[in-house]
Structure formats: C-alpha cells, structure tokens
C-alpha cells in the first residue's frame, strides 16, 4: 500500500525482526514519553556510537535499540573501554539527540515557517480512492492471481475429481442408444445430463468456503476505502472463466461421444457452451450465498438448501407435470 500509493505510514512495533526493520525508512524511538531518536534508520547506530554504545555485528538493530536504553542491559554495549561505564538515563539520551546533526536538522525544520503556497496539489483529498480505477483493478487482479496460485492444490484436486467423475459417467452410460422416432430411451440421456448437472453444481460449492473466509478482509478494505466492491468482484469472475472452460472441456470431451449423444460438431459445442454457462452460474450462485450468509454455518445451510431446490425442480427426480400446488 505504501509503495503503490506513495503514502507515509507510522507503525508501532515491539522488537521487529531484521527483515521487517529493513522495510522502514525512518525510526522513532520513544521511551518514558520522550523521543530518544527520530530520523533515518541508517543513522541510528551512528547516534548511539557517538554516545558510547555500539551494536554487535550479529545483533538485530531493533533488539539493540530496546536494550541499550535499559538499565539492566545497557552496560554490555559500552565500547569506550578507556572510559568507565556509567548508566545513561533517558533525559540524557534526549539531550544528546538534540545536539546530534539529525536532531538539529529537525529543530531547524520545525522553526522554519511552512509556506502554504508550496503545498502539493495531492495534499488535499479530491478523490474517493487514492489511485485511478484502472490501477485499482490492476492491483486487485494481481492480488486475486496471487491467491489463485496459493490455492493451486485445490484446483488441481478439483480437476482430477472432475476427470474421475467423467470417467464414471462414461462407464455408466457407455454407448447409450435411443430408438429412432421414439422417446422410449430418452430417460437414459436425461439421466446422464442430470448427473452432469449434479457434478458441476457440487464443484461450484467450493466457492462457499473460499468466499466466506475472504469476506472479513474484504469488508475491512472496502470500509477503509482501499478499493470499491466491483474492483474486488470483477477479477474473481474473470479469473474463474479459464477454470470453467477447462472443466467444461474435460467433461464434454470425455463423455459426449462415449455416451452416444448426437455425432454433430455443432451440438458438441452447444453442450460445451451449456456446461460452461452452468459452471459459471454455480460459482456465482454460491459466491452470492456466501456474501449473503457471511458465516460458514449459514452459508453451508443455504448452499445445501439451494442445491436441493435445483435438483428437485430440475425435472428429473420429479417430472414437471407431477407437481401439485
């Protein structure tokens, strides 16, 4: 966020690790309500060396800054062996910093009146978000792609699962035949299509848990005006299109001709497009249910209930003409 939006951020930390400490440009060391040091990280060790304390080579700078001002641990860092050690209290550190060149520069800057005419135009808030809509979308796409790569095991498992289930469907409905001019065996084809619908819908249920887990972070970011809701939702939908194309392609490629559907290329692609649309619908439906429920228990309950409605009203378990209202 700091690098992307070029912001200034103040973060309070206690004993950060060396890798975290290196991410900061400036450090403010406060003790007993007084500022002991405030300035660039690269100059903090020089300041304490000017007083008589040196950070060992294998010692983390953050740990050194916390211990060098402590009565208990201060003596071990004293390196002016020609002078006897004495405990240096916090007020003396504060006076030494004011005499240090960094402290003098700060004092000079404070005394110099600020010319408001030189204020940067971006200092005043003119837009709701810190960067343009295109940059927001790029950042959200990058974040979503990173999360997708982290969850690659889930998508690989779902691909193998779909492949296995398509082989099962192929074995169950292998070379199904329909008598010409008769609907006597139409139930077999209807059953295979219903089985495919069932598998595609169950595959979409994985979005329930993934979405519920992400909602707290999304609401926090949205309320902090980091990005709008559409910038969060659009990359999720776009990056799931290749997944839907792949799953629809695997299912139709394995089952279409082996089950015995019409050997027509146009109908093959129509079924492929239909399963692609159904998979996209399933993903979007379960994301919607997760957004409405917001909790894992309620989302699973709503998801199971919705799936039950789709299956019962699909026309295969109970025929359309058999419903009595």
């Amino acid at each position: 966020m700091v690098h992307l939006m070029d912001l200034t951020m103040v973060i309070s930390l206690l004993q950060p690790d060396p890798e975290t400490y290196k991410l900061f440009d400036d450090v403010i060391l406060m003790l007993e309500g007084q500022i002991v040091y405030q300035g660039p990280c690269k100059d903090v060790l020089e300041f304490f060396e000017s007083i008589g304390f040196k950070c060992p080579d294998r010692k983390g700078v953050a740990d050194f800054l916390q211990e060098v001002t402590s009565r208990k641990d201060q003596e071990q860092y004293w390196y002016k062996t020609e002078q006897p050690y004495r405990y240096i209290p916090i007020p003396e550190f504060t006076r030494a910093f004011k005499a240090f060149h960094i402290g003098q520069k700060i004092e000079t800057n404070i005394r110099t009146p600020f010319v408001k005419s030189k204020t940067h135009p971006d200092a005043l808030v003119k837009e709701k978000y810190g960067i343009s809509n295109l940059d927001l979308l790029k950042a959200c796409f990058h974040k979503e792609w990173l999360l997708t790569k982290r969850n690659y095991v889930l998508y690989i498992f779902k691909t193998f699962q779909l492949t296995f289930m398509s082989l099962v469907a192929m074995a169950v409905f292998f070379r199904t035949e329909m008598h010409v001019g008769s609907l006597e065996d139409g139930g077999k084809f209807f059953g295979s299509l219903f089985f495919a619908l069932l598998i595609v819908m169950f595959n979409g249920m994985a979005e329930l848990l993934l979405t519920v887990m992400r909602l707290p972070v999304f609401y926090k970011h949205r309320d902090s005006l980091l990005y709008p809701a559409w910038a969060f939702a659009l990359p999720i939908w776009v990056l799931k299109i290749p997944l839907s194309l792949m799953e629809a392609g695997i299912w139709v490629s394995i089952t279409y001709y082996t089950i015995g559907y019409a050997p027509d290329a146009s109908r093959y692609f129509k079924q492929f497009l239909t399963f692609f649309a159904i998979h996209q619908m399933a993903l979007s439906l379960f994301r919607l249910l997760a957004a409405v429920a917001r909790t894992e228990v309620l989302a699973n309950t709503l998801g199971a209930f919705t799936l039950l409605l789709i299956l019962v009203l699909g026309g295969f378990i109970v025929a359309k003409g058999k419903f009595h209202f």
Side-chain angles (χ1 to χ4, degrees):
M1 181 177 173
V2 169
H3 288 288
L4 187 64
M5 298 185 178
D6 194 21
L7 301 177
T8 299
M9 185 178 293
V10 180
I11 301 176
S12 175
L13 294 175
L14 180 64
Q15 287 183 287
D17 54 73
E19 291 78 14
T20 303
Y21 178 80
K22 290 179 181 178
L23 297 175
F24 289 85
D25 300 314
D26 295 346
V27 60
I28 303 174
L29 181 61
M30 298 185 65
L31 291 155
E32 299 178 3
Q34 302 182 60
I35 295 180
V36 175
Y37 177 86
Q38 176 184 351
C41 294
K42 59 184 179 63
D43 296 321
V44 66
L45 295 182
E46 178 189 350
F47 166 66
F48 282 100
E49 287 179 10
S50 66
I51 301 175
F53 299 99
K54 187 173 183 179
C55 178
D57 294 334
R58 299 177 64 87
K59 185 74 173 180
V61 178
D63 294 333
F64 167 75
L65 294 179
Q66 182 168 350
E67 295 175 1
V68 74
T69 53
S70 169
R71 183 184 295 271
K72 178 182 177 181
D73 302 315
Q74 188 183 89
E75 185 177 359
Q76 62 180 313
Y77 300 113
W78 182 258
Y79 80 99
K80 294 183 178 180
T81 54
E82 69 279 1
Q83 301 178 12
Y85 165 76
R86 67 176 181 86
Y87 171 69
I88 298 182
I90 303 303
E92 193 167 337
F93 276 118
T94 304
R95 290 192 294 270
F97 175 67
K98 290 181 179 179
F100 192 59
H101 64 90
I102 300 294
Q104 291 178 349
K105 183 178 180 181
I106 293 176
E107 289 288 336
T108 303
N109 292 337
I110 291 175
R111 291 195 186 99
T112 304
F114 179 70
V115 181
K116 294 184 179 181
S117 61
K118 295 182 179 179
T119 302
H120 194 278
D122 293 338
L124 296 177
V125 177
K126 300 178 182 178
E127 303 291 340
K128 187 175 181 180
Y129 301 102
I131 55 179
S132 64
N133 289 339
L134 182 60
D135 291 332
L136 283 172
L137 194 60
K138 288 180 180 179
C140 289
F141 261 107
H142 177 74
K143 180 187 70 171
E144 187 61 32
W145 175 243
L146 180 63
L147 292 175
T148 302
K149 290 193 294 185
R150 289 178 180 175
N151 293 328
Y152 75 95
V153 176
L154 171 64
Y155 298 112
I156 292 175
F157 172 77
K158 287 177 64 177
T159 302
F160 278 105
Q161 179 190 39
L162 187 71
T163 304
F164 175 76
M165 295 308 298
S166 61
L167 292 174
V168 171
M170 178 191 72
V172 172
F173 299 99
F174 187 70
R175 292 299 179 188
T176 302
E177 294 181 1
M178 180 184 291
H179 298 299
V180 178
S182 172
L183 295 179
E184 180 182 348
D185 291 339
K188 299 177 183 178
F189 287 95
F190 202 0
S192 65
L193 292 172
F194 181 77
F195 182 70
L197 171 67
L198 190 68
I199 296 301
V200 170
M201 293 298 294
F202 269 114
N203 252 21
M205 281 196 72
E207 289 294 309
L208 272 177
L209 183 59
L210 292 176
T211 304
V212 169
M213 291 171 58
R214 299 179 58 183
L215 283 179
V217 176
F218 161 68
Y219 287 122
K220 184 177 180 180
H221 287 177
R222 185 200 63 179
D223 295 341
S224 299
L225 299 181
L226 296 188
Y227 48 75
W230 64 265
F232 172 80
L234 189 60
I236 297 177
W237 168 62
V238 172
L239 290 177
K240 288 297 188 296
I241 291 178
L243 180 65
S244 297
L245 289 172
M246 181 184 65
E247 294 197 6
I250 291 174
W251 183 271
V252 176
S253 298
I254 294 177
T255 63
Y256 188 85
Y257 290 106
T258 54
I259 289 178
Y261 295 113
D264 184 2
S266 64
R267 295 196 176 191
Y268 171 88
F269 285 108
K270 286 178 182 178
Q271 188 178 104
F272 170 78
L273 181 61
T274 301
F275 279 112
F276 165 75
I278 291 175
H279 190 262
Q280 279 287 300
M281 179 275 298
L283 295 178
S284 302
L285 174 64
F286 290 117
R287 279 198 295 266
L288 172 63
L289 293 176
V292 172
R294 298 195 182 188
T295 61
E296 184 177 346
V297 175
L298 185 56
N300 285 328
T301 304
L302 283 178
F305 178 71
T306 305
L307 193 59
L308 177 65
L309 285 179
I310 293 175
L311 299 184
V312 171
L313 302 178
F316 181 76
I317 297 178
V318 181
K320 181 179 178 181
K322 300 296 183 180
F323 283 105
H324 299 286
F325 297 100

